[in-house]
Amino acid sequence: MANFETFSERVRMHAQRIAESSAPALSGLYDLTAQRLVRYATTITRNQHDGEDAVQTALVRVAVEPEKLAAAEQPWGYLLSMVRNESLVILRRKQRWSLVSNLTDLLTRRVVDSIELEDQHRAVWAAMRTLPAEQSEVVVLKIWEEMTFAQIASVLEITPSTAASRYRYAIGKLADKLHANDAEVAYE
């Protein structure tokens, strides 16, 4: 939780800088949050490019009215909510969800230590794609963003028990899927 609070304060600081010095300070907020926001938006939209578009739109809104982000009780949670809303707008515009078999749209830029590690990442993301969006976004917020169920509930506008339930079901499904993949590899 301390990590969430600290990160949220860093987001607030960048929003205040944007309010003071206009758009040039936006690059600091972008550098701080972009990779994490794109990962989250991609989980919702199921497409890397759509996730990037959602993040870009949200950050443009921040550039126009940075005071809203700076004044938010939890700036990081507020920014996540903005990106989530933009992601949902994109989904509504598309009028359908397409599950693309190519996983490269889910891969975010990161240093890969080995081919084995890359394979593990691909397996996890492939398993994540099989989850309903409501469950996968809770997993991303809980594991990668290290948020509590109360914080997740606030961002998603659900109850903490619903967030916990979605997380529990998702982890069970992921475990089953990843164990099934391990079994398939063992038999090959």
Side-chain angles (χ1 to χ4, degrees):
M1 185 162 136
N3 186 28
F4 177 82
E5 300 297 329
T6 303
F7 194 78
S8 197
E9 285 308 311
R10 290 175 64 195
V11 169
R12 181 187 318 279
M13 179 189 68
H14 283 284
Q16 289 169 337
R17 286 184 186 161
I18 294 167
E20 294 167 1
S21 65
S22 180
L26 188 61
S27 65
L29 180 63
Y30 178 85
D31 292 342
L32 178 66
T33 62
Q35 184 177 9
R36 296 168 78 167
L37 291 173
V38 169
R39 177 176 51 221
Y40 178 57
T42 300
T43 300
I44 297 168
T45 64
R46 308 289 180 158
N47 181 282
Q48 178 82 21
H49 300 293
D50 290 341
E52 291 170 353
D53 288 347
V55 170
Q56 179 181 356
T57 302
L59 290 177
V60 166
R61 290 182 190 271
V62 169
V64 172
E65 294 183 291
E67 303 83 18
K68 286 184 178 181
L69 182 60
E73 185 177 322
Q74 293 293 331
W76 178 231
Y78 186 82
L79 189 54
L80 286 168
S81 293
M82 290 177 69
V83 169
R84 180 175 192 263
N85 291 339
E86 294 301 332
S87 297
L88 295 174
V89 166
I90 288 170
L91 285 178
R92 273 186 239 118
R93 238 186 280 139
K94 286 182 110 174
Q95 295 294 328
R96 62 179 171 81
W97 288 29
S98 61
L99 296 177
V100 180
S101 61
N102 185 355
L103 295 178
T104 58
D105 64 334
L106 276 177
L107 298 176
T108 56
R109 294 179 185 98
R110 64 188 186 291
V111 177
V112 179
D113 296 329
S114 69
I115 293 174
E116 184 177 328
L117 182 60
E118 181 67 24
D119 289 343
Q120 290 173 353
H121 283 276
R122 287 180 190 269
V124 169
W125 281 109
M128 288 283 291
R129 288 195 101 166
T130 66
L131 297 176
E134 297 83 18
Q135 292 176 4
S136 61
E137 68 182 330
V138 171
V139 170
V140 167
L141 294 175
K142 181 70 175 158
I143 293 176
W144 281 282
E145 296 306 323
E146 300 175 353
M147 295 171 71
T148 66
F149 289 124
Q151 293 165 335
I152 293 169
S154 175
V155 169
L156 301 181
E157 298 177 347
I158 58 177
T159 65
S161 61
T162 300
S165 176
R166 288 180 183 176
Y167 178 77
R168 185 176 60 251
Y169 289 129
I171 293 300
K173 289 177 184 178
L174 287 172
D176 290 345
K177 180 73 174 168
L178 293 171
H179 288 302
N181 286 347
D182 287 345
E184 287 175 16
V185 171
Y187 288 115
E188 288 180 359

